[in-house]
Amino acid sequence: MFARLCVLACAVGVVYSADTVIVSDEVTGPEPCARTCIGESSGDWSKDGDYFLITISLSGCGFERKPLVTATVVSTTVYLQNSGYVGVEYSDSFRYELYKPGGSSNWANTNNIQVHWLAAGYTC
C-alpha cells in the first residue's frame, strides 16, 4: 500500500512540475505564467477567393496577450497538398487560411478538414 502511495505521489509531482519556456522577442511575460495549449478544430469553414478560412477560438487557453501559434491541416477523408498559414491578431483566437483554388465553400466541411494547433503564451 505504501509503495502505491509513493508512486502516486511521485506521478502527481511530475504532472505539477511541467516546465514551459517560451523563446520569443515578441511574445513575452513572466515565466510562471507561461502556458502551452493544444487543440483541434473543424467545421465552420468559409471561402474567400482561392482560400478556405476558419477562425479558431483560444478562449479556453486564457492568454492575456497574443500567443505564438503553429497549426497543421489534417483530413481523414482526402489527401491534401495545399499550403496555408496562421494569422494571429488577438489573444483569444486565430485564423487559418488554406490555399485551394476552386471548390465550393462546403468542400472543407464535408471532407472533415481539421486544424490541429499548438499555442504558447502567457496568462498574466
Side-chain angles (χ1 to χ4, degrees):
M1 180 68 176
F2 178 73
R4 287 183 186 160
L5 276 170
C6 183
V7 169
L8 179 61
C10 291
V12 169
V14 169
V15 169
Y16 284 112
S17 68
D19 186 28
T20 300
V21 176
I22 300 171
V23 180
S24 172
D25 291 336
E26 295 181 22
V27 177
T28 60
E31 200 167 305
C33 300
R35 175 174 289 169
T36 302
C37 195
I38 301 168
E40 64 181 4
S41 302
S42 62
D44 297 329
W45 287 88
S46 61
K47 182 96 161 116
D48 183 14
D50 288 337
Y51 288 89
F52 286 89
L53 316 170
I54 188 170
T55 299
I56 297 168
S57 175
L58 297 173
S59 61
C61 300
F63 296 125
E64 289 289 319
R65 295 175 291 287
K66 290 190 301 187
L68 296 171
V69 176
T70 186
T72 189
V73 177
V74 176
S75 174
T76 57
T77 59
V78 295
Y79 178 71
L80 295 173
Q81 278 189 299
N82 305 90
S83 62
Y85 68 91
V86 172
V88 183
E89 296 178 21
Y90 308 104
S91 64
D92 63 349
S93 66
F94 72 93
R95 184 168 75 178
Y96 191 89
E97 298 190 9
L98 173 67
Y99 178 73
K100 183 176 184 345
S104 70
S105 61
N106 201 30
W107 174 85
N109 295 320
T110 57
N111 285 296
N112 194 30
I113 306 302
Q114 302 172 0
V115 177
H116 291 193
W117 54 267
L118 182 142
Y122 294 91
T123 59
C124 64

